[in-house]
Amino acid sequence: QSTWGCLFEKMETIEGKTQAIQHKTSRLIVKNVPKYINEQRLREHFENNGGTVTDCRIAKNKEGESRLFAFVGFKNEDQAAEAQKYFNKTFIDTSKIFCEFALPPGSKDIPRAWSKYTAGSSAHDKRKEEKQKKKEKKKEKKK
């Protein structure tokens, strides 16, 4: 069972006001981590609050470069909630980090994708169709 996740946030209307509701998990997504930081240093940074870090992973692209976000897992939800409260909008060196609760990939509660490079977004589907049409035109020209 994979426990890596993405932001879990729902919009809820209470007494006519729409607000974001975050649900607790034992894993945090940490956004805007410095490009040069390694997993060991990130782990040590989050262990300074007294919580037990079970795992830590920095997201990287195909070339191995940081995507500027990471996932940090804690022993339980309470420790993750304390870390989120303590570290959200703080700094690692000169980078202001943002900590939010995370969910496993594929969860139906993850916000809809919007990037033209992300499968599932309407922009991605349109781009894919355009590429397919170009391929078909090239095949017709070769014939």
Side-chain angles (χ1 to χ4, degrees):
Q1 177 184 351
S2 175
T3 53
W4 294 111
C6 293
L7 170 66
F8 180 43
E9 189 174 277
K10 271 188 171 170
M11 299 306 286
E12 193 171 279
T13 304
I14 300 172
E15 297 177 8
K17 293 181 181 178
T18 303
Q19 54 190 357
I21 305 297
Q22 287 191 355
H23 298 273
K24 283 202 274 184
T25 64
S26 64
R27 174 163 274 99
L28 297 178
I29 181 170
V30 183
K31 299 177 181 181
N32 200 38
V33 296
K35 190 177 277 193
Y36 54 82
I37 199 165
N38 62 30
E39 290 175 359
Q40 181 62 32
R41 179 147 179 252
L42 190 64
R43 176 186 288 268
E44 290 169 0
H45 182 79
F46 278 88
E47 284 177 341
N48 286 340
N49 189 29
T52 305
V53 175
T54 57
D55 52 85
C56 178
R57 189 188 93 184
I58 297 174
K60 298 184 178 185
N61 63 17
K62 291 178 184 176
E63 289 80 36
E65 299 167 338
S66 173
R67 292 183 58 199
L68 306 180
F69 70 93
F71 295 100
V72 180
F74 291 87
K75 191 172 182 178
N76 57 45
E77 291 177 358
D78 294 332
Q79 286 184 1
E82 283 297 316
Q84 192 271 341
K85 187 176 175 182
Y86 183 81
F87 288 109
N88 191 33
K89 297 181 183 177
T90 61
F91 289 84
I92 297 179
D93 298 336
T94 58
S95 297
K96 187 174 187 177
I97 60 170
F98 300 91
C99 302
E100 299 167 350
F101 293 103
L103 274 187
S107 172
K108 63 181 179 181
D109 295 313
I110 296 173
R112 186 179 78 79
W114 56 267
S115 171
K116 68 180 180 181
Y117 301 108
T118 306
S121 71
S122 57
H124 178 268
D125 294 341
K126 185 177 178 182
R127 185 172 183 253
K128 191 174 179 181
E129 288 173 14
E130 289 172 359
K131 280 187 170 185
Q132 186 64 30
K133 286 179 183 177
K134 284 182 181 180
K135 282 183 181 180
E136 289 172 5
K137 284 183 180 180
K138 282 184 179 181
K139 283 183 181 180
E140 288 177 15
K141 285 182 180 180
K142 286 183 180 181
K143 289 181 181 181

